[in-house]
Amino acid sequence: MTNFNTKAFEKLETPFYYYDESLLVRTLDNLVSASKKHNFHVHYALKANANDKILKHIISAGLGADCVSGNEVKKALSIGFSPNNIAFAGVGKSDYEIKVGLEYDIFSFNCESTQELEVINQLAENAGKIARVAIRINPNVNAKTHKYITTGLEENKFGINPWEFETVINLLEKCKSLQLVGLHFHIGSQITDLDVFKSLCIRVNEIQDWFISRHILVEHLNVGGGFGVDYTNVEENLVPDFNSFFQLFADFLELKPGQQLHFELGRSVVAQCGSLISRVLYIKNGQNTNFAILDAGMTELIRPALYQSAHLIQNISRLDHLALHKYDVVGPICESSDCFGKAILLPETKRGDLIAIRTAGAYGEVMSSSYNLRDKANVYYDSDLN
Ligand SMILES: *Cc1c(COP(=O)(O)O)cnc(C)c1O
């Protein structure tokens, strides 16, 4: 059970992000023991949350880094991830970003097109380096998640499609400054149906067999991230069930002798440890509904506006009140999509009440913007308030 320190919160300027480091550490312990059982390697996807304090816990737990921009690579290096533990994916890496990766001899460039392979080869040759590359493959597996976070279907911009494999193999033979080290897959995010990962395993086995039939055996397979979290029953599932997740891959993915299996988890590592804390500015009585207007909006947390996602919303000033009323909980931004939830049941809510929007540790603060010239929200950790 999460006990927010509402007394301490009362004194703080809202809105702010609040991170529970002890929950993060518990989550990491759980993840590490579950993955170690199978000798699996986990890289943390920095794009979910790149706060220094959070990254330091992740380094202490021994995870690598999965980056999707040159600045994320630099961030990972500056905070202390070892270069040989950094993978760099992304459908549109600029020359500058590739040069950053080459300069530091990162573990792997996860390449998303044949043209990108040629460009990395050229830039590596110019730098007198051999670039380690994995090819990101589009396996055409439906992640059964929101369409904006589905990445592994033919219609998506990500990855190399199977009909290009022959071209890729011929190209790799010519590219003397590339070393193929892995096959990479990432089919989407917030995947809650484990059967989806089973379908992925079956596809990866088939694709790996095809490459082996062409005498290509890579040192690692990377099945990406995407493991979902529970946005509804938050308290019951504060720590995702990493045991079942990794066990599924142990059961269904056919690794060859000596081959490593890599994961790139973002959301499942950090989502539950973060909450967006905000105050009610106004209550407005509408025709069919009441509006609770908060001082936080889509500028602080864009997921509801962008993906129609639903976060658990709690009035933490009145947790002991039992009678519930319906509110549309909205932000102050001049967009009708700036709405955290419709017909949300809350105790009778008043101006000044503190509202917690839960499961906001992933793709929350990192996606914040200054639209409407808003200030950046403050950030607090449990260690600051005790
Ligand atoms: C975003 C991303 C991830 C992390 O996804 P989560 O759903 O947060 O686990 C992993 N790999 C790649 C290539 C990504 O783009």
Side-chain angles (χ1 to χ4, degrees), residues 8 15 27 62 64 119 148 151 167 264 316-317 326 367:
T27 305
V119 170
Y148 287 178
T151 58
T167 314
E264 302 166 333
I316 56 172
S317 297
K326 274 186 189 163
M367 288 181 124

Side-chain angles (χ1 to χ4, degrees), residues 163-355:
W163 59 84
E164 296 172 293
F165 287 172
E166 207 76 64
T167 314
V168 168
I169 290 182
N170 294 334
L171 188 61
L172 285 169
E173 264 171 26
K174 279 187 243 139
C175 291
K176 299 298 177 208
S177 300
L178 299 184
Q179 181 195 357
L180 179 68
V181 294
L183 301 180
H184 173 229
F185 305 81
H186 173 68
I187 58 172
S189 197
Q190 184 51 18
I191 298 168
T192 51
D193 177 358
L194 280 185
D195 273 348
V196 165
F197 291 113
K198 187 176 161 188
S199 307
L200 174 63
C201 288
I202 292 165
R203 274 302 280 153
V204 172
N205 293 339
E206 289 168 5
I207 290 168
Q208 150 123 304
D209 284 346
W210 186 91
F211 278 90
I212 289 173
S213 78
R214 295 294 197 280
H215 311 291
I216 293 172
L217 177 60
V218 291
E219 27 181 270
H220 79 272
L221 298 178
N222 177 343
V223 287
F227 187 33
V229 298
D230 196 333
Y231 282 90
T232 313
N233 302 305
V234 174
E235 294 295 343
E236 293 84 337
N237 293 301
L238 283 173
V239 177
D241 183 3
F242 291 111
N243 267 314
S244 305
F245 176 71
F246 291 120
Q247 187 62 48
L248 184 134
F249 287 89
D251 289 343
F252 294 102
L253 199 77
E254 291 163 12
L255 290 178
K256 302 300 167 190
Q259 197 170 44
Q260 290 186 351
L261 184 57
H262 290 218
F263 293 83
E264 302 166 333
L265 297 173
R267 186 190 308 273
S268 52
V269 183
V270 292
Q272 297 293 19
C273 79
S275 298
L276 175 60
I277 309 295
S278 141
R279 267 195 183 81
V280 177
L281 290 174
Y282 302 104
I283 298 293
K284 184 156 116 175
N285 300 105
Q287 190 70 267
N288 301 309
T289 180
N290 296 322
F291 293 99
I293 302 166
L294 307 186
D295 62 5
M298 64 192 288
T299 41
E300 285 68 47
L301 180 66
I302 201 176
R303 297 189 65 259
L306 190 61
Y307 312 130
Q308 288 116 34
S309 63
H311 289 252
L312 176 63
I313 300 172
Q314 296 171 310
N315 183 334
I316 56 172
S317 297
R318 295 178 199 274
L319 283 174
D320 50 341
H321 292 223
L322 296 176
L324 298 176
H325 303 257
K326 274 186 189 163
Y327 295 91
D328 283 10
V329 180
V330 302
I333 307 302
C334 303
E335 300 283 340
S336 291
S337 62
D338 183 30
C339 174
F340 290 116
K342 288 192 191 298
I344 303 298
L345 286 168
L346 295 174
E348 186 171 14
T349 294
K350 304 220 159 91
R351 172 174 163 84
D353 285 357
L354 286 168
I355 302 290

Side-chain angles (χ1 to χ4, degrees), residues 11-134:
K11 301 191 187 95
L12 303 172
E13 202 180 307
T14 49
F16 60 86
Y17 269 96
Y18 173 73
Y19 295 107
D20 181 345
E21 289 176 83
S22 59
L23 174 58
L24 174 62
V25 169
R26 205 149 43 93
T27 305
L28 285 165
D29 285 349
N30 202 292
L31 182 158
V32 168
S33 70
S35 60
K36 280 240 168 88
K37 247 184 254 167
H38 308 287
N39 209 9
F40 294 162
H41 298 251
V42 180
H43 288 211
Y44 167 69
L46 260 79
K47 76 174 189 285
N49 186 314
N51 284 2
D52 289 8
K53 268 200 183 183
I54 287 181
L55 293 180
K56 282 181 183 152
H57 284 296
I58 287 166
I59 292 175
S60 300
L63 273 57
D66 168 50
C67 301
V68 289
S69 74
N71 283 350
E72 282 191 1
V73 173
K74 286 192 193 166
K75 176 79 192 186
L77 289 164
S78 74
I79 201 92
F81 286 97
S82 146
N84 62 23
N85 226 348
I86 296 178
F88 182 10
V91 72
K93 302 175 192 73
S94 71
D95 291 17
Y96 168 74
E97 292 178 310
I98 292 166
K99 284 179 196 160
V100 171
L102 287 170
E103 183 183 343
Y104 292 96
D105 291 313
I106 59 167
F107 170 69
S108 165
F109 290 90
N110 296 343
C111 298
E112 309 223 8
S113 67
T114 51
Q115 195 164 35
E116 183 190 338
L117 286 167
E118 291 172 318
V119 170
I120 295 178
N121 181 58
Q122 187 60 58
L123 293 173
E125 193 184 316
N126 297 350
K129 304 238 181 188
I130 302 289
R132 299 163 53 88
V133 296

